[in-house]
Amino acid sequence: MAFVLSDQIVWHEGEVLMQQRLHVPYQENPTSPFLNPYAARLLPDAPLLALGTLDSAGRPWTTILGGDAGFVRPLGQSNIGIKTVVDPTYDPVMNILLRSKYDNDHGGQQEQNRPMSGLGINLERRSRVKLAGKFIAGALGAVLTQAGAKTTEAHIVFKVEQSLGMTRGESLWLPSSASASWTVKSMECRGSVSSVGMQLTSTGNCPKYLNKKRISAVAPQPTLVSSNLPLPVEAIDLLAKADIFFITTSHGGSTLGTNNRGGCSGFCRVMKNDDSGTILLYPEYSGNRLYQTLGNLQTTPKAGIVIPDFDSGDVLYLTGTTEILVGQEAATLLPRSNLAVKVRIHEARLIHDSLAFRGQSGEPSPYNPLVRFLATERTFGADAQNIKHSVVYAKLIQKELLTDDIGRFRFSVSDPEAAGPWNPGQYVALAFDNELGAGYSHMRDDDPLSLNDDLVRSFTISSSLRGGLLKDEFDITIRNVGKVTAFLFRQNVRAGLEVPLQGFSGSFAIHQSEGETVPFVAGGVGITPLLAQLPDLDFRRLRLFWTMRITDIGLALNTFERYPQLAGSTLLYISGSVSAAVRGQQPQTMPRLKQSGAHVFTRRLVASDIQERKDLSTTWYLCAGSRLRQAIISWLPDRNVIYESFDY
């Protein structure tokens, strides 16, 4: 993942090079040089753990273990224990770590301190944590299932020397004794984290392309299907249905990293599979831009991949050499891609019924791009679509500017049944690649980040299900802050803009318990998730702490005009000069706000404004930018803070 210098994780040269090639602004490495508290909390709840290591030839291999959550446990001092059913015969990682079947140089003996890596993952919650460290010890033992079938259980001790992970939608509970400082990127999964006397910074680990799956344990009965190349038809079929795989890479054969890649079924394409060789190609979608996996491949172009079949328990193990394709190289082979990885397979193994788990498919990620076919597979136009996936469009039918840079946009859905229902508190993911994708450019000094921008954006739905809209319509209320939002603000509704609707997802539901007054803190357009739920809430038991710039007060006035009862439950904190409001052409709005019934303060929100409110529920809801969010969390150390962020 990286290497340590004076107890600080720094980028290695491969990561730096990839970040420079893709014009990524410098950021500190968020990896922790220990098993951080988030990782320690997530691992026991993760029903899947991918593990990677190297064989004696320095080739990476990856396996995926799983079943009932709880098979991975922290043991103290950054050690974790793994106790789970495995395939001891055909699983290459178990062979290397516990039996050294592939590692003849060591005569079948275990090698302590062998480099290894892991990825604990909960697909149902879309949360994960990356691990890197050393193999300490392990053993195999026979176990009988309740049905009387014989299985083999592995016991492994893993010394974690690096960890990275934080999900969207964390619910943080920090006890009053905590002295933790958090930098968090989150939105979707709920949970709790505690930390005492520790400076903790965790970020990254993008969950964009994780398709939900509910994992359950089974007793495997592995049999070898093939260990030959080219790949048999069963392996090609598995690749065609796979929507996720796990990959292990290394930096110079010392530090390892295990990660996942995902998308729609078939996102990994087969370029060649004949007697002259087997080559796979997969796109690198826009993510957290840390480029740890690609950084490793930059210095050590070898990868070990495992592809599980969650329905049958079959698994395909692969190891090979890699080539990173950037810009025109990627687009030539995989149209509409600016970044891709080519993997030449050197060894493969397909095992039937090898996995100790099954996965029931749930909600697909709304961020999944349509499958990008190889240039040799079909001819692509600007609006190429995967014929296996029904494409639903959202059509812009109404635009209302509330301030100079805040607007409400209404869309209608072309096929509501195919799109599926949405609930208040969810977001919609829309794809703008057809409208804004500029194709390949070797350099884009005017907009360098566009070289790795998939142009899929998520917007919180701001309309309610009982707001007078047709059932195929929804609103988003957004600020003009970037390429996509600027494009929307320029649109003429009569032009009939239609963009692919990737799906609805997320969960940010506000709950009012009997007798409790629920507080909600909003920063500017952070009011949007509340707007969608207002018809279902009791205004008398709601306290809205709303902070904004003076140039945004048109949004507040419009909101109170639509929901007059909300004003009496609102404490509105307005910062900025009156001259700014005049420049924003809203000089008469302030008196109207004060007449609305809202409690208006012409200053910033401060800690005492919320810390002294002992009359409110212990659960606070929050939607704000990162700076305000971190401040609110630090001001409420003894409260349960559930939040939605703008960081995605």
Side-chain angles (χ1 to χ4, degrees):
M1 293 165 66
F3 64 95
V4 182
L5 179 63
S6 300
D7 294 325
Q8 178 184 359
I9 303 292
V10 300
W11 303 113
H12 65 64
E13 64 269 25
E15 295 165 331
V16 171
L17 181 57
M18 283 307 306
Q19 292 165 9
Q20 290 175 345
R21 290 180 69 184
L22 296 168
H23 306 277
V24 176
Y26 176 79
Q27 58 179 316
E28 291 185 359
N29 193 325
T31 306
S32 303
F34 50 84
L35 181 67
N36 71 41
Y38 171 76
R41 181 186 66 84
L42 183 143
L43 287 171
D45 293 330
L48 295 176
L49 177 69
L51 290 178
T53 192
L54 305 178
D55 64 16
S56 61
R59 302 182 304 176
W61 291 91
T62 310
T63 189
I64 180 69
L65 309 177
D68 294 327
F71 71 91
V72 184
R73 294 282 181 182
L75 302 178
Q77 297 188 356
S78 282
N79 290 322
I80 62 172
I82 304 165
K83 180 181 178 182
T84 188
V85 172
V86 299
D87 171 4
T89 305
Y90 304 113
D91 183 331
V93 174
M94 293 300 105
N95 291 158
I96 295 168
L97 295 179
L98 303 180
R99 295 179 59 182
S100 296
K101 180 177 179 180
Y102 280 47
D103 216 4
N104 296 325
D105 293 349
H106 293 86
Q109 299 299 312
Q110 294 180 12
E111 181 185 350
Q112 194 175 25
N113 293 320
R114 177 188 290 273
M116 65 183 296
S117 56
L119 181 78
I121 191 165
N122 188 323
L123 290 174
E124 197 165 11
R125 297 181 181 176
R126 292 194 177 115
S127 58
R128 63 181 189 167
V129 61
K130 292 174 65 178
L131 310 167
K134 299 287 194 302
F135 170 78
I136 300 301
L140 292 169
V143 176
L144 290 178
T145 67
Q146 291 182 346
K150 182 180 179 181
T151 60
T152 302
E153 192 172 72
H155 299 244
I156 296 172
V157 179
F158 180 179
K159 174 70 173 180
V160 177
E161 298 173 338
Q162 298 181 26
S163 63
L164 170 67
M166 184 56 74
T167 66
R168 292 162 63 88
E170 286 301 310
S171 166
L172 299 180
W173 182 280
L174 298 182
S176 57
S177 60
S179 58
S181 173
W182 292 82
T183 301
V184 179
K185 293 192 174 183
S186 67
M187 176 173 169
E188 189 176 33
C189 306
R190 301 285 182 256
S192 62
V193 179
S194 63
S195 177
V196 178
M198 177 177 295
Q199 176 82 9
L200 173 61
T201 303
S202 278
T203 184
N205 240 350
C206 170
K208 263 186 176 179
Y209 312 108
L210 295 181
N211 303 304
K212 289 189 175 182
K213 289 180 173 59
R214 177 169 295 178
I215 303 300
S216 57
V218 299
Q221 297 295 321
T223 56
L224 176 66
V225 177
S226 172
S227 59
N228 299 320
L229 292 174
L231 294 174
V233 63
E234 297 92 336
I236 300 300
D237 291 342
L238 175 51
L239 281 162
K241 71 180 291 190
D243 62 6
I244 190 172
F245 66 75
F246 301 89
I247 180 170
T248 296
T249 58
S250 75
H251 171 53
S254 55
T255 302
L256 275 63
T258 298
N259 213 330
N260 68 279
R261 293 295 183 264
C264 290
S265 295
F267 75 97
C268 181
R269 311 306 296 165
V270 180
M271 284 187 63
K272 183 168 71 170
N273 185 47
D274 55 32
D275 291 339
S276 65
T278 297
I279 300 176
L280 308 182
L281 182 67
Y282 69 87
E284 284 282 343
Y285 300 138
S286 174
N288 56 25
R289 299 192 296 158
L290 300 182
Y291 298 117
Q292 293 176 316
T293 298
L294 293 185
N296 285 348
L297 294 180
Q298 187 72 42
T299 63
T300 313
K302 300 177 181 180
I305 293 173
V306 62
I307 305 169
D309 187 328
F310 290 89
D311 298 322
S312 67
D314 295 354
V315 63
L316 178 62
Y317 299 106
L318 305 168
T319 189
T321 53
T322 63
E323 180 184 355
I324 300 171
L325 307 176
V326 179
Q328 187 62 57
E329 289 182 316
T332 298
L333 296 178
L334 200 63
R336 302 178 71 197
S337 297
N338 284 318
L339 189 61
V341 175
K342 182 162 56 173
V343 186
R344 179 176 290 275
I345 306 303
H346 294 291
E347 189 168 336
R349 182 165 291 199
L350 177 65
I351 315 300
H352 173 65
D353 194 13
S354 176
L355 302 176
F357 60 86
R358 298 293 185 268
Q360 179 181 353
S361 294
E363 175 191 65
S365 170
Y367 283 90
N368 288 339
L370 299 175
V371 170
R372 299 171 184 175
F373 291 96
L374 298 168
T376 55
E377 289 182 288
R378 33 180 316 191
T379 301
F380 275 75
D383 60 345
Q385 299 168 359
N386 181 357
I387 58 175
K388 295 182 180 180
H389 299 272
S390 175
V391 180
V392 179
Y393 287 91
K395 181 178 181 180
L396 179 64
I397 60 173
Q398 185 175 318
K399 180 176 75 171
E400 180 182 3
L401 296 183
L402 306 179
T403 73
D404 286 350
D405 64 351
I406 297 176
R408 182 183 301 117
F409 298 80
R410 181 165 298 172
F411 291 85
S412 64
V413 180
S414 63
D415 188 344
E417 184 175 348
W422 59 271
N423 296 309
Q426 289 193 305
Y427 62 85
V428 60
L430 303 175
F432 292 85
D433 183 64
N434 290 344
E435 304 296 330
L436 296 175
Y440 167 71
S441 294
H442 176 58
M443 295 289 287
R444 286 289 304 277
D445 290 337
D446 60 322
D447 189 13
L449 297 184
S450 66
L451 294 178
N452 188 46
D453 189 350
D454 59 9
L455 295 169
V456 175
R457 298 293 189 269
S458 62
F459 303 101
T460 301
I461 296 173
S462 59
S463 54
S464 72
L465 296 174
R466 297 193 286 121
L469 278 67
L470 300 177
K471 70 175 185 177
D472 65 340
E473 296 176 349
F474 64 87
D475 288 347
I476 60 174
T477 303
I478 59 175
R479 187 186 298 278
N480 187 354
V481 292
K483 176 192 293 186
V484 169
T485 52
F487 172 74
L488 286 174
F489 272 75
R490 292 195 303 268
Q491 288 302 301
N492 186 321
V493 173
R494 290 179 294 180
L497 172 70
E498 289 187 313
V499 295
L501 190 155
Q502 301 287 82
F504 302 102
S505 189
S507 176
F508 190 57
I510 301 167
H511 301 284
Q512 286 182 313
S513 300
E514 187 67 29
E516 284 191 332
T517 299
V518 173
F520 188 103
V521 182
V525 292
I527 190 70
T528 51
L530 177 63
L531 295 179
Q533 301 177 65
L534 283 176
D536 301 313
L537 298 176
D538 182 351
F539 290 95
R540 297 169 299 176
R541 296 190 294 111
L542 175 69
R543 289 296 176 271
L544 171 61
F545 298 81
W546 195 1
T547 178
M548 64 176 58
R549 301 192 298 259
I550 195 167
T551 51
D552 292 347
I553 57 179
L555 171 62
L557 185 62
N558 179 270
T559 300
F560 296 147
E561 288 173 347
R562 299 175 69 204
Y563 304 99
Q565 291 177 293
L566 179 62
S569 300
T570 300
L571 294 88
L572 188 62
Y573 299 86
I574 301 173
S575 60
S577 65
V578 175
S579 61
V582 173
R583 289 196 301 271
Q585 299 180 352
Q586 301 182 78
Q588 304 302 320
T589 307
M590 184 68 77
R592 293 167 60 192
L593 270 181
K594 293 181 178 179
Q595 295 169 8
S596 69
H599 304 276
V600 180
F601 303 89
T602 53
R603 60 173 175 82
R604 295 181 182 275
L605 178 71
V606 297
S608 59
D609 292 322
I610 62 176
Q611 288 175 335
E612 297 174 357
R613 298 304 302 262
K614 305 299 183 182
D615 57 319
L616 304 178
S617 169
T618 57
T619 296
W620 286 63
Y621 295 88
L622 167 65
C623 187
S626 60
R627 186 171 299 179
L628 176 59
R629 183 177 71 246
Q630 292 173 48
I632 297 297
I633 291 173
S634 68
W635 295 346
L636 297 171
D638 56 349
R639 296 292 188 268
N640 185 27
V641 181
I642 299 175
Y643 64 88
E644 184 176 73
S645 78
F646 307 150
D647 296 337
Y648 205 59

